[in-house]
Amino acid sequence: MQTGQQTMDEKRVETIHAHLRGRNIVLIGMMGAGKSSVGRRLAAVLDLPFVDADTEIELAANLTIAEIFSTYGEDHFRQGERKVIARLLGGGPRVIATGGGAFMNEKTRAEIGRRAISLWLKATVPLLMERVQRKANRPLLSDADPEAMIKRLLAIREPLYATADLIVASRDAPHTAIVDDALKALEDFLLCENGK
Ligand code: S3P
């Protein structure tokens, strides 16, 4: 029992809050990496608001992402995505889950760099495949060969994802385990930033 004594998690959360300085925590990574599920739980542990950029884009457009792609095309979606993420970054501190392509935009990357700590939720192709097959709502994967598409996108995106402040491995484990890893990574990063 922990009476009159902080648990490891409580201490970690306190350290993170002490050094966050109003910044957001932004989850980046491929479709199916678990950004929304992990982000939502991470926000709950940190007692910060959570927002999902894709949901916000859908609300702003009053259309689903699939409808935006099919009616207006990917470029239009990307423009909306950039604006919505810039707006979300202005309202921090909070935990923000972004769509898999958001970090490819140079302006979005720069804004995230200024106003957030970025966390790449890194996942292997088999894990991504297993996860994305559960939902058929991703226009970029409506392709005949979604695995080839994921590999193609990964080859382009990984070098940029790898510039994130933190990298946490997504794996087939309870979300709480990934959230724990994210908390540790955040604490280490913030302490290191402060030269401790
Ligand atoms: C996309 C990922 C999706 C969504 C859109 C495009 C991408 O979000 O933004 O379908 O380019 O990887 P998730 O990563 O949340 O699936």
Side-chain angles (χ1 to χ4, degrees):
M1 211 168 79
Q2 304 266 353
T3 43
Q5 202 191 342
Q6 278 184 315
T7 64
M8 178 79 111
D9 268 5
E10 283 165 354
K11 192 159 177 318
R12 223 163 239 150
V13 168
E14 202 171 275
T15 308
I16 293 168
H17 276 289
H19 298 291
L20 202 53
R21 290 188 279 110
R23 284 170 291 181
N24 301 280
I25 298 164
V26 171
L27 280 85
I28 65 162
M30 280 295 281
M31 303 172 254
K35 293 164 293 189
S36 303
S37 326
V38 170
R40 190 169 285 113
R41 286 166 177 86
L42 181 63
V45 175
L46 289 172
D47 200 17
L48 288 175
F50 170 77
V51 269
D52 184 291
D54 282 347
T55 307
E56 294 293 320
I57 295 164
E58 291 184 327
L59 282 172
N62 201 23
L63 292 170
T64 65
I65 290 187
E67 286 166 344
I68 302 174
F69 266 75
S70 63
T71 313
Y72 300 105
E74 182 173 349
D75 283 354
H76 182 90
F77 169 77
R78 296 296 173 199
Q79 281 173 38
E81 180 175 50
R82 183 176 53 73
K83 287 187 198 144
V84 165
I85 292 176
R87 169 171 60 79
L88 296 179
L89 286 165
R94 49 188 167 194
V95 177
I96 306 172
T98 59
F103 204 64
M104 298 306 106
N105 182 284
E106 201 179 333
K107 286 192 182 142
T108 298
R109 270 201 313 284
E111 275 297 286
I112 292 176
R114 262 182 357 100
R115 301 170 116 165
I117 296 172
S118 50
L119 186 157
W120 174 22
L121 205 49
K122 185 176 182 180
T124 60
V125 172
L127 185 65
L128 294 172
M129 279 310 294
E130 188 201 307
R131 300 255 183 83
V132 296
Q133 273 161 357
R134 289 185 207 152
K135 274 194 200 165
N137 61 348
R138 292 177 169 104
L140 289 181
L141 299 181
S142 53
D143 205 80
D145 187 349
E147 183 164 351
M149 184 61 167
I150 285 208
K151 286 181 177 163
R152 257 202 313 279
L153 289 173
L154 262 180
I156 299 166
R157 293 177 175 182
E158 278 206 329
L160 289 170
Y161 288 157
T163 66
D165 296 314
L166 312 174
I167 302 176
V168 169
S170 185
R171 54 188 195 279
D172 216 354
H175 286 303
T176 48
I178 319 289
V179 170
D180 256 14
D181 291 352
L183 288 172
K184 276 184 215 137
L186 273 165
E187 182 187 44
D188 287 351
F189 175 82
L190 290 168
L191 288 177
C192 188
E193 200 184 46
N194 276 272
K196 283 174 200 153

